[in-house]
Amino acid sequence: MTFAGILAFFGLAVVAVDVLGGVIAISVMLRGGTVRHLLAFAGGYTAVIIAATLILRPLLSLLHRWLRPVLDSNNAIGVVEIVVGLALLAVSLHQFRAASRPPTPHGRLEQRATPKRLAIAPLALAGVGFAGTALADPGFTIAVGMASQEQHLLRHVALLVAWNLLYQAPLVAVIAAAMFGKHEQLVTRVMEVVGPRRRALQTALAMLLALCGIAVLGDGVYALIGEHVPWLRQLLLLR
């Protein structure tokens, strides 16, 4: 991969970062979970991601041959961008509506009730289910396809591991904090910072999604009415 390709590769992980994993991990800690529970959750997720990656690589090679006429068509990629842009605008609207709702009261961390004993197996299964969010994310499929362009096996594996660590940075951060016994401070800090600023953060996220949606939608329309090469096709052509 070229330097531009690597920047786009890791930039995709940063843009598509999965906050839900960190939220779930914090929820597990709030229910009295331990490092073992978080590792079980992450283990279930990792097992599915590894299996999906092994399956996706040859599948993408096959699909590339079948879909070559589509990938070589600016109009077809432009239509895909229009669909993605509209989806981003829909998610943005949902975030704007969520930000307008009054916040629900949260009890203090010290006042949370002692939960029933958490089991390892259900959390591992929850991790397996959570992996579905990554598999449904187009960014994951694009990342696997871009990494497959690296022919050296060790570099290929290193790229995918680094991408997934960035993609799941919130989950990794909570696990790392728990391993060093800092999870209580992390959870408390997150609640202190995010809680009072929930509406502002959701509004900022909604605005960012709206801007991205407008940009992608506009690029798709421009590709359909002109000779412009869509951004998505440029990304797919990076080596």
Side-chain angles (χ1 to χ4, degrees):
M1 291 178 69
T2 63
F3 181 69
I6 290 175
L7 284 180
F9 179 75
F10 288 114
L12 183 64
V14 174
V15 172
V17 65
D18 192 348
V19 181
L20 181 59
V23 173
I24 294 175
I26 289 176
S27 299
V28 171
M29 301 307 296
L30 287 173
R31 294 182 57 202
T34 64
V35 177
R36 289 188 307 137
H37 297 101
L38 293 181
L39 290 178
F41 178 77
Y45 171 86
T46 303
V48 174
I49 293 302
I50 291 174
T53 301
L54 293 174
I55 294 171
L56 264 178
R57 186 180 180 187
L59 182 60
L60 287 174
S61 298
L62 179 63
L63 287 176
H64 180 74
R65 292 195 294 270
W66 288 353
L67 298 177
R68 190 171 187 84
V70 176
L71 297 176
D72 289 341
S73 170
N74 288 345
N75 289 342
I77 298 296
V79 171
V80 172
E81 284 193 341
I82 290 174
V83 173
V84 172
L86 291 174
L88 286 172
L89 289 174
V91 175
S92 170
L93 178 61
H94 173 74
Q95 288 297 324
F96 273 120
R97 294 179 62 184
S100 65
R101 301 190 191 104
T104 55
H106 295 284
R108 292 178 60 83
L109 184 62
E110 298 82 0
Q111 296 173 346
R112 67 181 185 270
T114 303
K116 297 179 180 179
R117 184 174 179 271
L118 294 174
I120 297 295
L123 279 172
L125 291 175
V128 170
F130 173 63
T133 62
L135 301 182
D137 188 343
F140 173 75
T141 303
I142 293 173
V144 173
M146 293 180 71
S148 66
Q149 298 167 19
E150 176 55 63
Q151 299 303 314
H152 193 279
L153 180 60
L154 289 180
R155 286 197 291 265
H156 181 182
V157 173
L159 283 171
L160 286 173
V161 170
W163 192 91
N164 280 284
L165 288 175
L166 268 177
Y167 179 66
Q168 290 296 344
L171 174 60
V172 172
V174 176
I175 293 175
M179 293 180 70
F180 287 98
K182 302 294 184 182
H183 51 281
E184 290 282 350
Q185 295 92 319
L186 176 64
V187 172
T188 303
R189 185 59 180 163
V190 168
M191 293 176 68
E192 289 176 349
V193 172
V194 174
R197 300 173 178 83
R198 180 196 67 88
R199 181 168 295 181
L201 290 172
Q202 281 189 308
T203 301
L205 175 61
M207 291 178 65
L208 177 62
L209 289 171
L211 289 174
C212 291
I214 292 171
V216 173
L217 178 61
D219 188 67
V221 172
Y222 185 32
L224 288 178
I225 64 177
E227 299 299 325
H228 171 66
V229 179
W231 293 336
L232 178 57
R233 188 178 177 200
Q234 295 178 41
L235 178 62
L236 294 172
L237 292 175
L238 282 175
R239 296 290 187 271

